[in-house]
Amino acid sequence: MDEAFDLKHFETFLGESNSEGGHWDKIKKRTATLFQVLIDGDLKELVFVLKHYPQYTELVCEHFRYLYNYSEQSADIFAASKLLYMSEAYHQKQFVRNLLRKLEKIETYELSQIKTLIHFLVEHQERLHPIIISYYKAEIVAHLRSGNYHLLQQKIIEKELLKLHVKSDFDFGAKDRDASLDIPYMV
């Protein structure tokens, strides 16, 4: 279900953008501040604004690359997915990694929570971006390997994971030019 926000609340913060200069020179300070606040949130409002102002998508993706994620708020999985679809032409690795860092973490999940997550992902996999499906599938496998789960429990989860049809070949490796931007406290 799409969120209904009032566009008038955002329009006063959106200024003209330039195509010249460095990232911060392309937009007005109030616009950059607005996008920082929206990025720091659950991403629903950000997706709403970009749907109406798609010319800012590339700038937001670049802004996201340098995200420090000051808030503890996790991103809404559907909003993150919409943002990935909207921004497919601008998928720098650091943007994608920072976006994925905003998703709910699973390292403290119990086995029942893992099963619930897999069921959710299977049920909604047509609506979710393949990068998100791939990410969570890899996170679940890593969680199983690092946990004290019986081999039989692992096999049951692995069988459930087969229901996730991963259609992403996105390389999450940090061998790109942004690899040095990985900030330890963000991981």
Side-chain angles (χ1 to χ4, degrees), residues 106-146:
I106 67 166
E107 62 251 359
T108 60
Y109 274 24
E110 299 290 328
L111 197 58
S112 63
Q113 292 172 296
I114 295 290
K115 288 179 184 177
T116 301
L117 175 62
I118 294 170
H119 177 72
F120 173 83
L121 294 172
V122 169
E123 182 179 340
H124 298 287
Q125 66 184 323
E126 296 304 317
R127 289 180 57 199
L128 297 172
H129 195 280
I131 288 176
I132 291 177
I133 298 289
S134 177
Y135 168 74
Y136 270 122
K137 190 170 185 177
E139 288 292 302
I140 291 168
V141 168
H143 181 70
L144 287 176
R145 300 289 182 254
S146 66

Side-chain angles (χ1 to χ4, degrees), residues 79-90:
S81 187
K82 286 178 186 176
L83 182 57
L84 283 169
Y85 279 119
M86 295 169 80
S87 64
E88 287 195 338
Y90 314 111

Side-chain angles (χ1 to χ4, degrees), residues 30-187:
R30 69 177 189 265
T31 306
T33 302
L34 170 67
F35 285 128
Q36 180 60 45
V37 169
L38 296 179
I39 287 169
D40 232 17
D42 68 4
L43 303 183
K44 291 176 189 173
E45 290 176 292
L46 176 65
V47 168
F48 174 79
V49 170
L50 291 179
K51 191 184 303 183
H52 294 281
Y53 292 93
Q55 69 269 24
Y56 288 107
T57 303
E58 182 177 10
L59 289 168
V60 165
C61 292
E62 191 169 335
H63 195 73
F64 223 112
R65 289 173 59 209
Y66 304 105
L67 173 72
Y68 291 98
N69 199 16
Y70 294 115
S71 78
E72 295 294 321
Q73 186 172 14
S74 295
D76 176 80
I77 193 168
F78 294 112
S81 187
K82 286 178 186 176
L83 182 57
L84 283 169
Y85 279 119
M86 295 169 80
S87 64
E88 287 195 338
Y90 314 111
H91 282 182
Q92 307 101 335
K93 288 184 183 183
Q94 192 62 32
F95 159 67
V96 173
R97 285 193 293 258
N98 282 348
L99 177 63
L100 295 175
R101 283 185 179 118
K102 287 192 58 59
L103 293 172
E104 188 174 338
K105 309 293 183 266
I106 67 166
E107 62 251 359
T108 60
Y109 274 24
E110 299 290 328
L111 197 58
S112 63
Q113 292 172 296
I114 295 290
K115 288 179 184 177
T116 301
L117 175 62
I118 294 170
H119 177 72
F120 173 83
L121 294 172
V122 169
E123 182 179 340
H124 298 287
Q125 66 184 323
E126 296 304 317
R127 289 180 57 199
L128 297 172
H129 195 280
I131 288 176
I132 291 177
I133 298 289
S134 177
Y135 168 74
Y136 270 122
K137 190 170 185 177
E139 288 292 302
I140 291 168
V141 168
H143 181 70
L144 287 176
R145 300 289 182 254
S146 66
N148 273 339
Y149 299 109
H150 186 275
L151 186 59
L152 186 55
Q153 291 174 313
Q154 289 183 28
K155 293 294 180 191
I156 291 170
I157 295 295
E158 288 170 359
K159 183 178 178 185
E160 291 298 308
L161 285 174
L162 292 175
K163 295 177 183 176
L164 288 175
H165 307 291
V166 178
K167 302 175 216 154
S168 174
D169 59 355
F170 188 82
D171 177 17
F172 296 99
K175 295 181 180 126
D176 60 322
R177 70 182 181 95
D178 291 333
S180 61
L181 294 177
D182 282 329
I183 301 168
Y185 63 82
M186 291 174 52
V187 179

